[in-house]
Amino acid sequence: MDNYAAPARPIVEAMTQAALAQPARTVAFQGAPGANSHVAAIEAFPDGLPLPCFDFADALEAVKSGKADRAIIPIENSLHGRVADIHFLLPESGLVIIGEHFLAIRHALMTTGTRDELVEVMSHPQALGQCRHWLRAHGLRPIAYADTAGAAARVAEMADPSVAALAPARAAELYGLKLLSEDVSDGEHNMTRFVVLARGGQPPVGDGPWMTSLIFEVKNIPAALYKAMGGFATNGVNMTKLESYQRGSSFAATEFYCDVVGKPGEPAFDRAIEELGFHSKWVRVLGTYRQARDRG
């Protein structure tokens, strides 16, 4: 609780008590009340009880321990790329992806002073990155903070008119700040994709379309990735995302995160995954879930 700025603590405490009383309805999210993840939790689960957690690890732990039924975590943004290192966090947590949600991002500029007094703007590094050209054009210096709404609470606590926060507009109301602008961004189509995580997944039944997320490590031989991807091409399986990352400091082996259209049990999907496994050291499925947005 002490990690949050003072104006956020009573709100966090009230939300936490309400959520812990009904864990079956609880949705953990990273950030202070009013953050984009809070907005996503409300949109995705209108009947849920959002549980604020200071960082991603805390949100996943809330689900692992049974304090929350699920967590909603941002994974990528249309303007600034990767948000959470889900390929590191998820395998270690033992949780599975059971859904996804897309949230249109509208950053608001809020402060205790006036526009003429502003020198610095505080927010999550992702938000600052999504608005970096706007900030530069207005001569404002970015200051990184743990999350957007947390930055708003901190600005309210500081009461320094030279510092503003970038956060959802609701955060200004929660923390008593003045709204200077309600739509700050470097692009008109600023969208963040969230994934929903739970302790156990249900077999995918009913109508799709379906998405499966997985991670794998290719063998350390020439053309390993090319060969591993061949099964998707020959079987007509659409891969919508492929992202490489390094684990540890050896730089000797590359692991990959990918999203694939389809689900286990579909013949073309199963053949593609079988060929991927033949050319990889290991393959791990992170979850199969209904698409929230068509990838066609």
Side-chain angles (χ1 to χ4, degrees), residues 238-279:
N238 186 21
M239 180 177 289
T240 64
K241 180 181 179 66
L242 178 65
E243 187 173 57
S244 64
Y245 62 98
Q246 293 280 343
R247 188 184 299 274
S249 58
S250 66
F251 295 95
T254 300
E255 299 178 14
F256 293 87
Y257 168 93
C258 66
D259 292 324
V260 180
V261 176
K263 65 182 178 69
E266 296 176 347
F269 178 92
D270 289 344
R271 289 193 297 269
I273 296 300
E274 182 179 6
E275 189 161 345
L276 173 65
F278 181 79
H279 294 290

Side-chain angles (χ1 to χ4, degrees), residues 47-276:
D47 296 328
L49 293 171
L51 173 65
C53 301
F54 188 72
D55 58 27
F56 292 123
D58 290 340
L60 300 185
E61 181 59 34
V63 180
K64 287 175 60 179
S65 67
K67 292 180 180 178
D69 182 63
R70 67 205 80 176
I72 188 164
I73 302 292
I75 186 172
E76 59 184 324
N77 176 264
S78 59
L79 295 182
H80 203 57
R82 182 192 300 175
V83 178
D85 286 329
I86 200 68
H87 31 57
F88 292 129
L89 294 169
L90 187 52
E92 297 170 358
S93 73
L95 304 180
V96 297
I97 302 175
I98 63 167
E100 65 177 357
H101 181 75
F102 289 84
L103 177 69
I105 304 299
R106 295 291 179 265
H107 298 300
L109 188 69
M110 56 195 72
T111 184
T112 57
T114 65
R115 176 64 184 86
D116 293 339
E117 297 174 286
L118 282 189
V119 176
E120 299 175 332
V121 175
M122 182 183 296
S123 195
H124 188 278
Q126 270 283 332
L128 296 173
Q130 293 161 23
C131 304
R132 61 188 182 279
H133 299 304
W134 189 93
L135 293 172
R136 188 179 301 116
H138 289 81
L140 298 173
R141 185 166 62 249
I143 304 295
Y145 199 77
D147 73 276
T148 54
R154 177 61 178 148
V155 166
E157 182 180 48
M158 292 168 61
D160 182 347
S162 70
V163 183
L166 277 177
R170 176 167 168 72
E173 178 184 346
L174 286 174
Y175 304 120
L177 296 173
K178 301 175 185 176
L179 273 176
L180 300 184
S181 176
E182 294 192 46
D183 197 1
V184 177
S185 181
D186 287 343
E188 295 181 1
H189 306 290
N190 189 357
M191 184 76 64
T192 293
R193 177 187 173 218
F194 291 77
V195 290
V196 181
L197 310 174
R199 289 185 293 279
Q202 297 294 324
V205 294
D207 297 329
W210 299 97
M211 180 72 70
T212 296
S213 297
L214 51 94
I215 53 176
F216 63 93
E217 181 182 340
V218 294
K219 296 177 181 178
N220 195 14
I221 59 174
L225 181 60
Y226 173 80
K227 294 174 182 177
M229 296 293 95
F232 295 96
T234 57
N235 287 286
V237 176
N238 186 21
M239 180 177 289
T240 64
K241 180 181 179 66
L242 178 65
E243 187 173 57
S244 64
Y245 62 98
Q246 293 280 343
R247 188 184 299 274
S249 58
S250 66
F251 295 95
T254 300
E255 299 178 14
F256 293 87
Y257 168 93
C258 66
D259 292 324
V260 180
V261 176
K263 65 182 178 69
E266 296 176 347
F269 178 92
D270 289 344
R271 289 193 297 269
I273 296 300
E274 182 179 6
E275 189 161 345
L276 173 65

